[in-house]
Amino acid sequence: MSVARESGDRAQELRDKARHMTEAAERTTDPEQRQRLQEKARKLQEQSEQQGNMGGGGNMGGGNIRPPK
């Protein structure tokens, strides 16, 4: 399996976990628990975006990559 494929798979796993956390947050009646779950979901979503950019080719994530001189 290529690095890009593995990175994409990992990003998808993180997105799935984030979605499950968001759904759990919507179901809970405890405001503190809801906030914790929403925060975890947000962090997982950020991680999935970073993972997706790592192996996806190109420079979609920005960063400090400069063209050769």
Side-chain angles (χ1 to χ4, degrees):
M1 186 179 283
S2 73
V3 172
R5 172 91 178 184
E6 289 176 8
S7 190
D9 290 347
R10 176 72 176 140
Q12 183 61 49
E13 289 176 21
L14 290 169
R15 282 191 296 272
D16 289 344
K17 287 181 182 179
R19 183 175 48 83
H20 290 301
M21 290 280 185
T22 299
E23 290 170 356
E26 291 171 357
R27 288 190 304 268
T28 189
T29 56
D30 180 1
E32 290 179 8
Q33 180 69 4
R34 179 178 293 123
Q35 186 174 1
R36 282 192 295 271
L37 289 168
Q38 288 171 336
E39 181 65 18
K40 285 182 182 180
R42 184 187 62 76
K43 288 180 181 180
L44 287 169
Q45 186 64 35
E46 288 175 1
Q47 287 177 3
S48 78
E49 290 168 5
Q50 290 173 358
Q51 281 287 323
N53 289 338
M54 284 177 63
N59 186 20
M60 295 183 62
N64 293 327
I65 298 175
R66 296 192 177 116
K69 293 182 180 180

Short mmCIF file of all heavy atoms in Angstrom, two decimals:
data_model
loop_
_atom_site.label_atom_id
_atom_site.label_comp_id
_atom_site.label_asym_id
_atom_site.label_seq_id
_atom_site.Cartn_x
_atom_site.Cartn_y
_atom_site.Cartn_z
N MET A 1 0.85 -1.18 0.00
CA MET A 1 0.00 0.00 0.00
C MET A 1 0.89 1.24 0.00
O MET A 1 1.87 1.31 0.72
CB MET A 1 -0.90 -0.04 1.23
CG MET A 1 -1.93 1.08 1.25
SD MET A 1 -3.01 1.02 2.69
CE MET A 1 -4.11 -0.29 2.22
N SER A 2 0.54 2.21 -0.78
CA SER A 2 1.36 3.42 -0.87
C SER A 2 1.15 4.30 0.35
O SER A 2 0.15 4.19 1.06
CB SER A 2 1.01 4.19 -2.13
OG SER A 2 -0.24 4.82 -1.99
N VAL A 3 2.10 5.21 0.57
CA VAL A 3 2.00 6.15 1.68
C VAL A 3 0.77 7.02 1.51
O VAL A 3 0.04 7.28 2.47
CB VAL A 3 3.29 7.01 1.78
CG1 VAL A 3 3.12 8.10 2.81
CG2 VAL A 3 4.47 6.14 2.12
N ALA A 4 0.51 7.47 0.28
CA ALA A 4 -0.65 8.32 0.04
C ALA A 4 -1.94 7.57 0.38
O ALA A 4 -2.85 8.12 0.98
CB ALA A 4 -0.68 8.79 -1.41
N ARG A 5 -2.00 6.31 0.01
CA ARG A 5 -3.19 5.50 0.28
C ARG A 5 -3.38 5.31 1.78
O ARG A 5 -4.48 5.44 2.31
CB ARG A 5 -3.06 4.16 -0.44
CG ARG A 5 -4.10 3.18 -0.12
CD ARG A 5 -5.24 3.27 -1.05
NE ARG A 5 -6.20 2.24 -0.69
CZ ARG A 5 -7.26 2.01 -1.34
NH1 ARG A 5 -7.51 2.67 -2.43
NH2 ARG A 5 -8.09 1.09 -0.95
N GLU A 6 -2.29 4.97 2.48
CA GLU A 6 -2.36 4.77 3.93
C GLU A 6 -2.79 6.06 4.62
O GLU A 6 -3.59 6.05 5.54
CB GLU A 6 -1.02 4.31 4.48
CG GLU A 6 -0.67 2.89 4.10
CD GLU A 6 0.71 2.48 4.57
OE1 GLU A 6 1.33 3.23 5.33
OE2 GLU A 6 1.16 1.39 4.18
N SER A 7 -2.23 7.17 4.16
CA SER A 7 -2.57 8.46 4.75
C SER A 7 -4.04 8.79 4.51
O SER A 7 -4.73 9.28 5.39
CB SER A 7 -1.67 9.54 4.15
OG SER A 7 -1.82 10.74 4.84
N GLY A 8 -4.51 8.48 3.32
CA GLY A 8 -5.92 8.71 3.00
C GLY A 8 -6.85 7.84 3.82
O GLY A 8 -7.90 8.28 4.27
N ASP A 9 -6.43 6.58 4.02
CA ASP A 9 -7.23 5.67 4.85
C ASP A 9 -7.29 6.17 6.29
O ASP A 9 -8.35 6.15 6.91
CB ASP A 9 -6.64 4.26 4.82
CG ASP A 9 -6.82 3.57 3.48
OD1 ASP A 9 -7.60 4.07 2.63
OD2 ASP A 9 -6.18 2.52 3.27
N ARG A 10 -6.16 6.61 6.78
CA ARG A 10 -6.10 7.12 8.16
C ARG A 10 -6.97 8.37 8.30
O ARG A 10 -7.69 8.53 9.29
CB ARG A 10 -4.64 7.43 8.53
CG ARG A 10 -4.46 8.04 9.89
CD ARG A 10 -4.69 7.04 11.00
NE ARG A 10 -4.40 7.68 12.27
CZ ARG A 10 -5.12 7.50 13.35
NH1 ARG A 10 -6.13 6.67 13.35
NH2 ARG A 10 -4.82 8.12 14.47
N ALA A 11 -6.91 9.24 7.30
CA ALA A 11 -7.73 10.45 7.33
C ALA A 11 -9.21 10.09 7.35
O ALA A 11 -9.99 10.69 8.09
CB ALA A 11 -7.41 11.34 6.12
N GLN A 12 -9.60 9.08 6.58
CA GLN A 12 -11.00 8.65 6.56
C GLN A 12 -11.42 8.09 7.92
O GLN A 12 -12.51 8.36 8.40
CB GLN A 12 -11.23 7.61 5.46
CG GLN A 12 -12.68 7.19 5.33
CD GLN A 12 -13.60 8.34 4.99
OE1 GLN A 12 -13.32 9.09 4.06
NE2 GLN A 12 -14.68 8.48 5.72
N GLU A 13 -10.53 7.31 8.54
CA GLU A 13 -10.83 6.78 9.88
C GLU A 13 -11.05 7.91 10.87
O GLU A 13 -11.98 7.85 11.70
CB GLU A 13 -9.68 5.90 10.37
CG GLU A 13 -9.56 4.58 9.66
CD GLU A 13 -8.35 3.79 10.12
OE1 GLU A 13 -7.84 4.05 11.23
OE2 GLU A 13 -7.89 2.91 9.37
N LEU A 14 -10.20 8.92 10.81
CA LEU A 14 -10.33 10.05 11.73
C LEU A 14 -11.63 10.82 11.47
O LEU A 14 -12.30 11.24 12.42
CB LEU A 14 -9.13 10.99 11.60
CG LEU A 14 -7.81 10.42 12.13
CD1 LEU A 14 -6.64 11.30 11.71
CD2 LEU A 14 -7.85 10.25 13.63
N ARG A 15 -12.00 10.99 10.20
CA ARG A 15 -13.28 11.66 9.89
C ARG A 15 -14.45 10.87 10.42
O ARG A 15 -15.41 11.45 10.96
CB ARG A 15 -13.42 11.86 8.38
CG ARG A 15 -12.60 13.02 7.84
CD ARG A 15 -12.97 13.35 6.41
NE ARG A 15 -12.66 12.28 5.49
CZ ARG A 15 -11.49 12.11 4.89
NH1 ARG A 15 -10.50 12.96 5.11
NH2 ARG A 15 -11.29 11.11 4.06
N ASP A 16 -14.39 9.54 10.28
CA ASP A 16 -15.47 8.69 10.80
C ASP A 16 -15.59 8.82 12.32
O ASP A 16 -16.70 8.95 12.85
CB ASP A 16 -15.23 7.23 10.43
CG ASP A 16 -15.41 6.96 8.95
OD1 ASP A 16 -16.02 7.81 8.24
OD2 ASP A 16 -14.94 5.90 8.48
N LYS A 17 -14.45 8.81 13.00
CA LYS A 17 -14.47 8.96 14.46
C LYS A 17 -15.04 10.33 14.85
O LYS A 17 -15.81 10.44 15.80
CB LYS A 17 -13.07 8.79 15.05
CG LYS A 17 -12.58 7.37 15.06
CD LYS A 17 -11.19 7.28 15.68
CE LYS A 17 -10.66 5.87 15.66
NZ LYS A 17 -9.31 5.79 16.24
N ALA A 18 -14.65 11.36 14.12
CA ALA A 18 -15.14 12.71 14.40
C ALA A 18 -16.65 12.76 14.21
O ALA A 18 -17.36 13.37 15.02
CB ALA A 18 -14.45 13.73 13.49
N ARG A 19 -17.14 12.12 13.17
CA ARG A 19 -18.58 12.11 12.92
C ARG A 19 -19.32 11.39 14.05
O ARG A 19 -20.35 11.87 14.54
CB ARG A 19 -18.88 11.43 11.58
CG ARG A 19 -20.36 11.42 11.21
CD ARG A 19 -20.60 10.86 9.83
NE ARG A 19 -19.91 9.61 9.58
CZ ARG A 19 -20.37 8.41 9.95
NH1 ARG A 19 -21.52 8.30 10.60
NH2 ARG A 19 -19.69 7.31 9.67
N HIS A 20 -18.76 10.26 14.51
CA HIS A 20 -19.38 9.53 15.62
C HIS A 20 -19.39 10.37 16.90
O HIS A 20 -20.38 10.36 17.65
CB HIS A 20 -18.68 8.20 15.86
CG HIS A 20 -18.90 7.20 14.77
ND1 HIS A 20 -20.15 6.74 14.41
CD2 HIS A 20 -18.03 6.58 13.95
CE1 HIS A 20 -20.05 5.88 13.42
NE2 HIS A 20 -18.76 5.77 13.11
N MET A 21 -18.30 11.08 17.15
CA MET A 21 -18.23 11.96 18.33
C MET A 21 -19.28 13.06 18.24
O MET A 21 -19.93 13.39 19.22
CB MET A 21 -16.84 12.60 18.46
CG MET A 21 -15.77 11.66 18.84
SD MET A 21 -15.80 11.38 20.60
CE MET A 21 -14.36 10.37 20.77
N THR A 22 -19.43 13.63 17.06
CA THR A 22 -20.41 14.70 16.86
C THR A 22 -21.83 14.16 17.09
O THR A 22 -22.65 14.81 17.75
CB THR A 22 -20.30 15.29 15.44
OG1 THR A 22 -18.98 15.83 15.29
CG2 THR A 22 -21.32 16.38 15.21
N GLU A 23 -22.09 12.98 16.57
CA GLU A 23 -23.41 12.37 16.77
C GLU A 23 -23.66 12.09 18.24
O GLU A 23 -24.77 12.31 18.75
CB GLU A 23 -23.52 11.09 15.94
CG GLU A 23 -23.59 11.37 14.45
CD GLU A 23 -23.46 10.11 13.62
OE1 GLU A 23 -23.24 9.01 14.18
OE2 GLU A 23 -23.56 10.23 12.38
N ALA A 24 -22.64 11.60 18.94
CA ALA A 24 -22.79 11.33 20.38
C ALA A 24 -23.04 12.63 21.14
O ALA A 24 -23.85 12.66 22.07
CB ALA A 24 -21.54 10.63 20.91
N ALA A 25 -22.36 13.69 20.73
CA ALA A 25 -22.56 14.99 21.38
C ALA A 25 -23.99 15.47 21.20
O ALA A 25 -24.58 16.06 22.12
CB ALA A 25 -21.58 16.02 20.81
N GLU A 26 -24.55 15.21 20.04
CA GLU A 26 -25.94 15.63 19.78
C GLU A 26 -26.94 14.85 20.62
O GLU A 26 -28.00 15.36 20.97
CB GLU A 26 -26.26 15.47 18.30
CG GLU A 26 -25.51 16.45 17.42
CD GLU A 26 -25.66 16.16 15.94
OE1 GLU A 26 -26.30 15.15 15.58
OE2 GLU A 26 -25.11 16.94 15.13
N ARG A 27 -26.59 13.60 20.97
CA ARG A 27 -27.51 12.75 21.73
C ARG A 27 -27.44 12.98 23.24
O ARG A 27 -28.42 12.73 23.94
CB ARG A 27 -27.21 11.28 21.45
CG ARG A 27 -27.63 10.83 20.08
CD ARG A 27 -27.54 9.31 19.95
NE ARG A 27 -26.21 8.79 20.26
CZ ARG A 27 -25.25 8.59 19.36
NH1 ARG A 27 -25.46 8.88 18.12
NH2 ARG A 27 -24.09 8.10 19.74
N THR A 28 -26.30 13.44 23.74
CA THR A 28 -26.14 13.55 25.19
C THR A 28 -26.94 14.74 25.74
O THR A 28 -27.13 15.74 25.05
CB THR A 28 -24.66 13.66 25.60
OG1 THR A 28 -24.56 13.56 27.01
CG2 THR A 28 -24.05 14.97 25.14
N THR A 29 -27.39 14.58 26.96
CA THR A 29 -28.14 15.66 27.60
C THR A 29 -27.27 16.47 28.56
O THR A 29 -27.67 17.54 29.00
CB THR A 29 -29.34 15.09 28.38
OG1 THR A 29 -28.87 14.14 29.33
CG2 THR A 29 -30.33 14.44 27.44
N ASP A 30 -26.07 15.97 28.84
CA ASP A 30 -25.16 16.65 29.75
C ASP A 30 -24.36 17.71 28.97
O ASP A 30 -23.58 17.36 28.07
CB ASP A 30 -24.21 15.63 30.37
CG ASP A 30 -23.21 16.24 31.34
OD1 ASP A 30 -23.25 17.48 31.56
OD2 ASP A 30 -22.38 15.48 31.88
N PRO A 31 -24.54 18.99 29.29
CA PRO A 31 -23.85 20.04 28.54
C PRO A 31 -22.32 19.93 28.59
O PRO A 31 -21.65 20.20 27.58
CB PRO A 31 -24.31 21.34 29.21
CG PRO A 31 -25.51 20.98 30.00
CD PRO A 31 -25.41 19.52 30.32
N GLU A 32 -21.78 19.51 29.71
CA GLU A 32 -20.32 19.38 29.81
C GLU A 32 -19.82 18.23 28.94
O GLU A 32 -18.79 18.36 28.26
CB GLU A 32 -19.90 19.17 31.27
CG GLU A 32 -20.10 20.42 32.12
CD GLU A 32 -19.71 20.20 33.57
OE1 GLU A 32 -19.14 19.13 33.90
OE2 GLU A 32 -19.95 21.11 34.38
N GLN A 33 -20.54 17.12 28.97
CA GLN A 33 -20.18 15.99 28.13
C GLN A 33 -20.30 16.36 26.65
O GLN A 33 -19.46 16.00 25.84
CB GLN A 33 -21.06 14.78 28.44
CG GLN A 33 -20.75 13.56 27.61
CD GLN A 33 -19.42 12.92 27.95
OE1 GLN A 33 -18.71 13.34 28.86
NE2 GLN A 33 -19.05 11.91 27.21
N ARG A 34 -21.34 17.10 26.30
CA ARG A 34 -21.54 17.54 24.92
C ARG A 34 -20.34 18.39 24.46
O ARG A 34 -19.81 18.19 23.37
CB ARG A 34 -22.83 18.35 24.79
CG ARG A 34 -23.05 18.87 23.36
CD ARG A 34 -24.36 19.62 23.22
NE ARG A 34 -25.46 18.69 23.40
CZ ARG A 34 -26.43 18.82 24.31
NH1 ARG A 34 -26.45 19.87 25.12
NH2 ARG A 34 -27.39 17.93 24.40
N GLN A 35 -19.92 19.30 25.32
CA GLN A 35 -18.79 20.16 24.97
C GLN A 35 -17.50 19.35 24.79
O GLN A 35 -16.74 19.59 23.85
CB GLN A 35 -18.59 21.23 26.05
CG GLN A 35 -17.54 22.25 25.70
CD GLN A 35 -17.48 23.37 26.72
OE1 GLN A 35 -18.21 23.38 27.71
NE2 GLN A 35 -16.61 24.33 26.48
N ARG A 36 -17.27 18.37 25.68
CA ARG A 36 -16.08 17.52 25.56
C ARG A 36 -16.10 16.74 24.25
O ARG A 36 -15.09 16.66 23.54
CB ARG A 36 -15.99 16.56 26.74
CG ARG A 36 -15.48 17.19 28.01
CD ARG A 36 -15.14 16.14 29.06
NE ARG A 36 -16.31 15.40 29.51
CZ ARG A 36 -17.09 15.78 30.54
NH1 ARG A 36 -16.82 16.88 31.21
NH2 ARG A 36 -18.13 15.05 30.88
N LEU A 37 -17.25 16.18 23.92
CA LEU A 37 -17.36 15.39 22.69
C LEU A 37 -17.19 16.27 21.45
O LEU A 37 -16.54 15.87 20.48
CB LEU A 37 -18.71 14.66 22.64
CG LEU A 37 -18.86 13.51 23.63
CD1 LEU A 37 -20.31 13.06 23.71
CD2 LEU A 37 -17.95 12.36 23.26
N GLN A 38 -17.75 17.46 21.49
CA GLN A 38 -17.60 18.37 20.36
C GLN A 38 -16.14 18.78 20.17
O GLN A 38 -15.65 18.87 19.04
CB GLN A 38 -18.48 19.61 20.54
CG GLN A 38 -19.95 19.33 20.36
CD GLN A 38 -20.83 20.51 20.75
OE1 GLN A 38 -20.45 21.36 21.55
NE2 GLN A 38 -22.04 20.53 20.20
N GLU A 39 -15.45 19.00 21.27
CA GLU A 39 -14.04 19.36 21.21
C GLU A 39 -13.20 18.21 20.65
O GLU A 39 -12.32 18.41 19.80
CB GLU A 39 -13.53 19.78 22.59
CG GLU A 39 -12.08 20.21 22.63
CD GLU A 39 -11.80 21.47 21.83
OE1 GLU A 39 -12.74 22.23 21.52
OE2 GLU A 39 -10.62 21.70 21.51
N LYS A 40 -13.49 16.99 21.10
CA LYS A 40 -12.77 15.83 20.58
C LYS A 40 -13.04 15.67 19.09
O LYS A 40 -12.12 15.38 18.32
CB LYS A 40 -13.19 14.56 21.33
CG LYS A 40 -12.61 14.43 22.70
CD LYS A 40 -13.04 13.12 23.33
CE LYS A 40 -12.50 12.98 24.74
NZ LYS A 40 -12.91 11.70 25.36
N ALA A 41 -14.28 15.86 18.69
CA ALA A 41 -14.64 15.75 17.27
C ALA A 41 -13.90 16.79 16.45
O ALA A 41 -13.39 16.50 15.36
CB ALA A 41 -16.15 15.91 17.09
N ARG A 42 -13.79 18.01 16.96
CA ARG A 42 -13.10 19.08 16.24
C ARG A 42 -11.61 18.72 16.07
O ARG A 42 -11.05 18.87 14.99
CB ARG A 42 -13.23 20.41 16.99
CG ARG A 42 -12.61 21.60 16.26
CD ARG A 42 -12.61 22.85 17.11
NE ARG A 42 -11.82 22.72 18.33
CZ ARG A 42 -10.48 22.77 18.36
NH1 ARG A 42 -9.79 22.95 17.27
NH2 ARG A 42 -9.83 22.66 19.50
N LYS A 43 -11.00 18.20 17.13
CA LYS A 43 -9.58 17.83 17.06
C LYS A 43 -9.36 16.68 16.07
O LYS A 43 -8.39 16.68 15.31
CB LYS A 43 -9.06 17.46 18.44
CG LYS A 43 -8.89 18.66 19.34
CD LYS A 43 -8.38 18.27 20.70
CE LYS A 43 -8.24 19.50 21.59
NZ LYS A 43 -7.75 19.17 22.92
N LEU A 44 -10.26 15.71 16.09
CA LEU A 44 -10.14 14.60 15.15
C LEU A 44 -10.29 15.08 13.71
O LEU A 44 -9.59 14.62 12.81
CB LEU A 44 -11.20 13.52 15.45
CG LEU A 44 -10.94 12.68 16.69
CD1 LEU A 44 -12.17 11.85 17.03
CD2 LEU A 44 -9.73 11.78 16.48
N GLN A 45 -11.20 16.01 13.49
CA GLN A 45 -11.39 16.56 12.15
C GLN A 45 -10.13 17.28 11.69
O GLN A 45 -9.70 17.14 10.55
CB GLN A 45 -12.59 17.52 12.14
CG GLN A 45 -12.95 18.01 10.76
CD GLN A 45 -13.40 16.91 9.82
OE1 GLN A 45 -14.05 15.96 10.23
NE2 GLN A 45 -13.03 17.03 8.57
N GLU A 46 -9.52 18.04 12.58
CA GLU A 46 -8.26 18.73 12.24
C GLU A 46 -7.17 17.72 11.90
O GLU A 46 -6.42 17.91 10.94
CB GLU A 46 -7.81 19.63 13.39
CG GLU A 46 -8.65 20.87 13.57
CD GLU A 46 -8.25 21.68 14.80
OE1 GLU A 46 -7.30 21.28 15.51
OE2 GLU A 46 -8.89 22.71 15.04
N GLN A 47 -7.09 16.65 12.68
CA GLN A 47 -6.09 15.62 12.42
C GLN A 47 -6.33 14.96 11.07
O GLN A 47 -5.39 14.68 10.32
CB GLN A 47 -6.10 14.56 13.51
CG GLN A 47 -5.52 15.01 14.82
CD GLN A 47 -5.63 13.93 15.89
OE1 GLN A 47 -6.09 12.83 15.64
NE2 GLN A 47 -5.20 14.27 17.09
N SER A 48 -7.61 14.73 10.75
CA SER A 48 -7.92 14.09 9.47
C SER A 48 -7.52 14.98 8.31
O SER A 48 -7.03 14.51 7.28
CB SER A 48 -9.41 13.73 9.37
OG SER A 48 -10.20 14.85 9.08
N GLU A 49 -7.69 16.28 8.47
CA GLU A 49 -7.28 17.21 7.41
C GLU A 49 -5.77 17.20 7.25
O GLU A 49 -5.26 17.22 6.13
CB GLU A 49 -7.79 18.61 7.72
CG GLU A 49 -9.31 18.73 7.60
CD GLU A 49 -9.86 20.01 8.16
OE1 GLU A 49 -9.07 20.89 8.58
OE2 GLU A 49 -11.10 20.14 8.19
N GLN A 50 -5.04 17.13 8.36
CA GLN A 50 -3.58 17.07 8.28
C GLN A 50 -3.13 15.77 7.64
O GLN A 50 -2.24 15.75 6.80
CB GLN A 50 -2.97 17.22 9.68
CG GLN A 50 -3.13 18.61 10.25
CD GLN A 50 -2.68 18.69 11.70
OE1 GLN A 50 -2.28 17.69 12.30
NE2 GLN A 50 -2.76 19.87 12.28
N GLN A 51 -3.75 14.66 8.02
CA GLN A 51 -3.40 13.36 7.45
C GLN A 51 -3.69 13.34 5.95
O GLN A 51 -2.90 12.84 5.17
CB GLN A 51 -4.22 12.24 8.12
CG GLN A 51 -3.73 11.82 9.45
CD GLN A 51 -2.45 11.02 9.37
OE1 GLN A 51 -2.26 10.22 8.47
NE2 GLN A 51 -1.57 11.23 10.32
N GLY A 52 -4.82 13.90 5.57
CA GLY A 52 -5.19 13.93 4.17
C GLY A 52 -4.22 14.74 3.34
O GLY A 52 -3.94 14.41 2.19
N ASN A 53 -3.67 15.77 3.92
CA ASN A 53 -2.72 16.62 3.20
C ASN A 53 -1.33 15.99 3.13
O ASN A 53 -0.56 16.30 2.24
CB ASN A 53 -2.62 18.00 3.86
CG ASN A 53 -3.86 18.82 3.65
OD1 ASN A 53 -4.63 18.59 2.72
ND2 ASN A 53 -4.08 19.78 4.52
N MET A 54 -1.02 15.10 4.05
CA MET A 54 0.33 14.53 4.10
C MET A 54 0.63 13.66 2.88
O MET A 54 1.71 13.76 2.31
CB MET A 54 0.50 13.68 5.37
CG MET A 54 0.69 14.51 6.61
SD MET A 54 0.80 13.50 8.08
CE MET A 54 2.27 12.57 7.76
N GLY A 55 -0.29 12.81 2.51
CA GLY A 55 0.00 11.88 1.43
C GLY A 55 -0.75 12.17 0.16
O GLY A 55 -0.68 11.41 -0.79
N GLY A 56 -1.47 13.27 0.12
CA GLY A 56 -2.33 13.53 -1.01
C GLY A 56 -1.66 14.15 -2.20
O GLY A 56 -2.29 14.37 -3.22
N GLY A 57 -0.38 14.43 -2.12
CA GLY A 57 0.31 15.05 -3.24
C GLY A 57 0.03 16.53 -3.27
O GLY A 57 -0.91 17.02 -2.67
N GLY A 58 0.83 17.24 -3.99
CA GLY A 58 0.63 18.68 -4.08
C GLY A 58 0.93 19.37 -2.77
O GLY A 58 1.49 18.78 -1.85
N ASN A 59 0.52 20.59 -2.67
CA ASN A 59 0.78 21.39 -1.48
C ASN A 59 -0.54 21.99 -1.00
O ASN A 59 -0.67 23.18 -0.85
CB ASN A 59 1.82 22.48 -1.78
CG ASN A 59 2.22 23.23 -0.54
OD1 ASN A 59 2.03 22.73 0.56
ND2 ASN A 59 2.74 24.42 -0.69
N MET A 60 -1.52 21.15 -0.80
CA MET A 60 -2.85 21.63 -0.43
C MET A 60 -2.87 22.25 0.95
O MET A 60 -3.70 23.06 1.25
CB MET A 60 -3.84 20.48 -0.50
CG MET A 60 -4.00 19.95 -1.90
SD MET A 60 -5.23 18.65 -2.00
CE MET A 60 -6.68 19.51 -1.46
N GLY A 61 -1.95 21.86 1.81
CA GLY A 61 -1.95 22.35 3.17
C GLY A 61 -1.18 23.65 3.35
O GLY A 61 -1.06 24.14 4.45
N GLY A 62 -0.66 24.21 2.28
CA GLY A 62 0.11 25.43 2.42
C GLY A 62 1.49 25.10 2.93
O GLY A 62 2.20 24.32 2.31
N GLY A 63 1.86 25.66 4.03
CA GLY A 63 3.16 25.37 4.61
C GLY A 63 4.25 26.24 4.03
O GLY A 63 3.99 27.23 3.37
N ASN A 64 5.47 25.86 4.28
CA ASN A 64 6.62 26.66 3.85
C ASN A 64 7.36 26.02 2.69
O ASN A 64 8.56 26.16 2.55
CB ASN A 64 7.59 26.84 5.02
CG ASN A 64 6.97 27.69 6.12
OD1 ASN A 64 6.19 28.58 5.83
ND2 ASN A 64 7.32 27.42 7.35
N ILE A 65 6.67 25.30 1.86
CA ILE A 65 7.32 24.66 0.72
C ILE A 65 7.51 25.71 -0.38
O ILE A 65 6.57 26.38 -0.80
CB ILE A 65 6.49 23.48 0.21
CG1 ILE A 65 6.37 22.44 1.33
CG2 ILE A 65 7.11 22.90 -1.04
CD1 ILE A 65 5.48 21.30 1.00
N ARG A 66 8.75 25.80 -0.84
CA ARG A 66 9.08 26.78 -1.88
C ARG A 66 9.58 26.05 -3.11
O ARG A 66 10.20 24.98 -3.00
CB ARG A 66 10.15 27.74 -1.38
CG ARG A 66 9.66 28.57 -0.20
CD ARG A 66 10.63 29.70 0.09
NE ARG A 66 10.07 30.50 1.17
CZ ARG A 66 10.63 30.63 2.35
NH1 ARG A 66 11.77 30.05 2.62
NH2 ARG A 66 10.07 31.38 3.28
N PRO A 67 9.36 26.60 -4.29
CA PRO A 67 9.86 25.95 -5.51
C PRO A 67 11.39 26.00 -5.54
O PRO A 67 12.00 26.87 -4.93
CB PRO A 67 9.26 26.79 -6.63
CG PRO A 67 8.86 28.08 -6.01
CD PRO A 67 8.63 27.81 -4.56
N PRO A 68 12.01 25.06 -6.25
CA PRO A 68 13.48 25.07 -6.34
C PRO A 68 13.98 26.31 -7.05
O PRO A 68 13.30 26.87 -7.91
CB PRO A 68 13.80 23.80 -7.13
CG PRO A 68 12.53 23.35 -7.73
CD PRO A 68 11.41 23.98 -6.97
N LYS A 69 15.19 26.71 -6.70
CA LYS A 69 15.78 27.92 -7.31
C LYS A 69 16.44 27.58 -8.62
O LYS A 69 16.91 26.53 -8.87
CB LYS A 69 16.80 28.55 -6.37
CG LYS A 69 16.15 29.10 -5.14
CD LYS A 69 17.19 29.75 -4.25
CE LYS A 69 16.51 30.30 -3.01
NZ LYS A 69 17.42 30.93 -2.10
#
